[in-house]
Amino acid sequence: MDPYKYRPSSAYNSPFFTNNSGTPVYDDNSSLTVGSRGPVLLEDYHLIEKLAHFERERIPERVVHARGASAKGFFEVTHDISHLTCADFLRAPGVQTPLIARFSTVIHERGSPETIRDPRGFAVKFYTREGNFDFVGNNFPVFFIRDAMKFADVIHAFKPNPKSHIQENWRILDFCSHHPESLHAFTFFFDDEGVPTDYRHINGSSVNTYTLINKAGKGHYVKFHWKPTCGVKFLLEEEAIKVGGTNHSHATQDLYDSIAAGNYPEWKLYIQTIDPDHEDRFDFDPLDSTKTWPEDIVPLQPVGRLVLNRNIDNFFAENEMLAFSPGTVVPGISYSDDKMLQGRVFAYGDTQRHRLGPNYLLLPVNAPKCAHHNNHYDGFMNFMHRDEEVDYFPSRYDPVRHAEKYPILPTVCSGRRERCLSEKGSDFKQPGERYRSWAPDRQERYVSRWVNALSDPRVTHEIRSIWISWWTQADRSLGQRLASRLNVRPSI
């Protein structure tokens, strides 16, 4: 199965210029005028078409993950996990699946520097025999919030001030001071990992909890983790300033140049699994996206490897119009009741319908490479050629049938309809453990970044005190160091 042939081809290129309708253009240098200097005529259709198309070249950029780079490659299964999932592309060691991956920053605009302190997106579209599977994650294994109700708010807080269009620490710290669950993500954001060296040297994580389902219908909660074979590397402040000041697209260029030179980036895929019947054995909620699953309790299991060995052919077609959604899964992989994931399943597909139109999944880079059939007709920019007479189901005039049933979880849901917080476990334990795992010089850099952020003149004494109190609960020495440098008395 070659996914690259399923795209509009340049094979029909003419040796001479034409307009979009294919009409020959004998002069693409001069407008049609009255005399050599006279006014331009409105009837110059080629000029009007050329300008009109140019003015519409840009499409709405992504609200998040606008700045990114893509590459193609394959995924190869190296370890048998068929006892955990009936997903066809994971059926046995040696099975290869073509894919396209996209890496990105999260908060800033399409042309922003790639040295900004920011999470990095890590997304992979697998073109499987049973349809596409979109892995949509980040390099951080946790997020700042645990409920999708606050997703727009946390992004707004991290985005530039709507009045000045300047990203400001006081806005970030103000919002997150209402959410102690954000502490864990800050141990990545203000850590050295907050500014990766490039895209080849980052981890990837699903962040959210999914569910694997085997042939017998048994489900296991799962988190996915990508580990780069070349290791994780990051830029410290002075290095980031130097690199970003030299080339604001350094990570995109590094990815492209490495593949062009035959130095193919590779990641190993690991999973962690928890039997839902055993989730009460842990002191954390497995469905909480602000918590990690400790590897000494829930060990990593190897699955396969991802290799990027081909650059994209066109940045717009295969990066800007490339669209991912956590809702795009295949048999054997499903969702969980993770509140963040539940919101993302809707939001990601919906933002693509806004950006690219209702038929965005017909675009070659997004379309499945297996046979597919449904009755999703018409709509803006529907370019699929169809000659069927039946556009409903079922019909005695159309032989199409339901697919063979595959296992789904027989979940029973019960409970009161209510809006409530999920607060199992401590929001302070894992951040403190992570801080204590660092070498002293790394701890010092982390403290310095927090002192800098909390020294923002618009951060109030109340907000500063909240953060020092929280960090004291996570690690007493960390709280004391912050309090000492900021002249604030720690209180719990």
Side-chain angles (χ1 to χ4, degrees), residues 1 88-89 91 95-98 126-132 330 369-371:
M1 181 174 64
D88 177 73
F89 79 103
R91 63 188 180 275
V95 173
Q96 290 193 356
T97 301
F126 297 82
Y127 299 112
T128 88
R129 301 193 306 183
E130 292 184 315
N132 292 351
V330 293
K369 309 314 174 202
C370 60

Side-chain angles (χ1 to χ4, degrees), residues 239-258:
E239 297 173 300
I241 292 172
K242 181 178 180 180
V243 171
T246 304
N247 181 0
H248 80 293
S249 297
H250 82 283
T252 295
Q253 183 169 357
D254 173 82
L255 180 66
Y256 190 94
D257 289 350
S258 294

Side-chain angles (χ1 to χ4, degrees), residues 11 38-39 72 105 158 175 223 230 254 272 277 320 322 470:
K72 303 172 185 177
T105 60
F158 275 81
F175 171 79
K223 281 184 180 284
C230 57
D254 173 82
Q272 291 176 290
D277 296 336
E320 291 305 299
L322 176 58
W470 284 355

Side-chain angles (χ1 to χ4, degrees), residues 72-76 99 264-267 305-310:
K72 303 172 185 177
F74 65 89
F75 175 77
E76 181 180 19
L99 57 82
Y264 302 140
E266 181 175 340
W267 286 261
R305 66 188 187 112
L306 179 159
V307 178
L308 298 179
N309 59 5
R310 180 174 176 182

